[in-house]
Amino acid sequence: MFVKWYVDSSLAPEIKFIIQNMSQALTRQKNIPVELVSREDSLLSRFMRSVSGDLLHIFGNAPLMKLHSKIVQTLFDDDIRVKKNWLGSNRKNFNITRSRFFLTDARDGDEIILPNFGSLSLSSQEIKRGIFTNGSMDLPENISAIDISGKITRSEVLDGIYVASGVDQLEALRAGILTMRGVSIASRKSEYLDEIIGSENYFVIPQDDSEFENLREILDSGLSDKGRKLATSARHYVNENHSEKKCADSILELYDRIMQA
């Protein structure tokens, strides 16, 4: 089997990083090579001409295509509609299977494939320590935080705590990546985060933004041995539930079902 993946260029870098990990998992675990292409890729035209009759896996949205193919489309938001901009006028010729990363978002007929977050990197001798944010979290003025927006997918090991700015999919996926870089996670209660690192494996921030004293206690804990133990527990959960093998198994099982249908 030779698999072709189209990756929507508008997806966040963190999602593209995870998709790359997933393609490598499929190759290493199942010996299945994956060709990835995006809208900017010079190979796009040749790629689109070559997929007729094959199974095509689309991550996000895709440009206009008029193909007779079985298609898997992995969605990353609440819009479960298949958009007309890439279906064109040949909607009846498409056999489309929707897939998700999260059970929380699954609708009737949606399949679940497991994201993979890589492994803890030990490539850096210098470990950065502190309170980390993506730059959009409103913290009290007396709390010094390090903005790592744009640097989340780097390989250096971190030590400390990451404060999630929201409870959406992207923040949960960022937390999964950063868990594998060594930090503990603080977030408001999040169903997405429960799926990625486990409901007991992160510090829960109170709903009341005015409770900064509680937040200060959480951040202090995140910088202590308690935070390191929680980070280790979360990393074990990710390694167990989002391993390369489980990721590759979930994808290949879906492909096998589609091709045999």
Side-chain angles (χ1 to χ4, degrees), residues 104-207:
T104 297
D105 280 339
R107 309 295 195 273
D108 290 343
D110 287 357
E111 300 279 355
I112 299 299
I113 56 175
L114 299 177
N116 178 260
F117 299 93
S119 58
L120 180 65
S121 172
L122 300 176
S123 62
S124 175
Q125 295 181 350
E126 182 177 348
I127 300 176
K128 184 176 290 187
R129 186 171 187 271
I131 299 167
F132 304 97
T133 74
N134 69 6
S136 61
M137 183 65 181
D138 186 19
L139 296 176
E141 292 182 358
N142 64 337
I143 295 178
S144 178
I146 302 169
D147 179 4
I148 56 171
S149 56
K151 305 174 184 177
I152 289 175
T153 60
R154 291 186 177 182
S155 60
E156 299 93 345
V157 173
L158 302 176
D159 180 23
I161 184 168
Y162 174 74
V163 186
S165 62
V167 294
D168 57 5
Q169 290 182 14
L170 184 55
E171 274 297 87
L173 294 173
R174 285 173 177 152
I177 295 169
L178 290 169
T179 292
M180 300 311 296
R181 292 185 64 183
V183 299
S184 58
I185 305 297
S187 171
R188 300 198 186 284
K189 190 61 179 175
S190 165
E191 290 180 308
Y192 294 121
L193 197 52
D194 290 350
E195 289 193 42
I196 296 299
I197 67 173
S199 61
E200 303 298 322
N201 292 328
Y202 62 97
F203 295 101
V204 179
I205 300 174
Q207 290 294 323

Side-chain angles (χ1 to χ4, degrees), residues 28 102 236:
R28 284 195 285 256
F102 295 96
H236 176 76

Side-chain angles (χ1 to χ4, degrees), residues 83-100:
K83 299 181 183 292
K84 290 183 68 175
N85 67 321
W86 59 268
L87 277 176
S89 60
N90 288 343
R91 188 180 189 120
K92 63 182 181 298
N93 294 325
F94 287 82
N95 184 350
I96 301 169
T97 300
R98 291 193 310 262
S99 63
R100 302 274 189 175

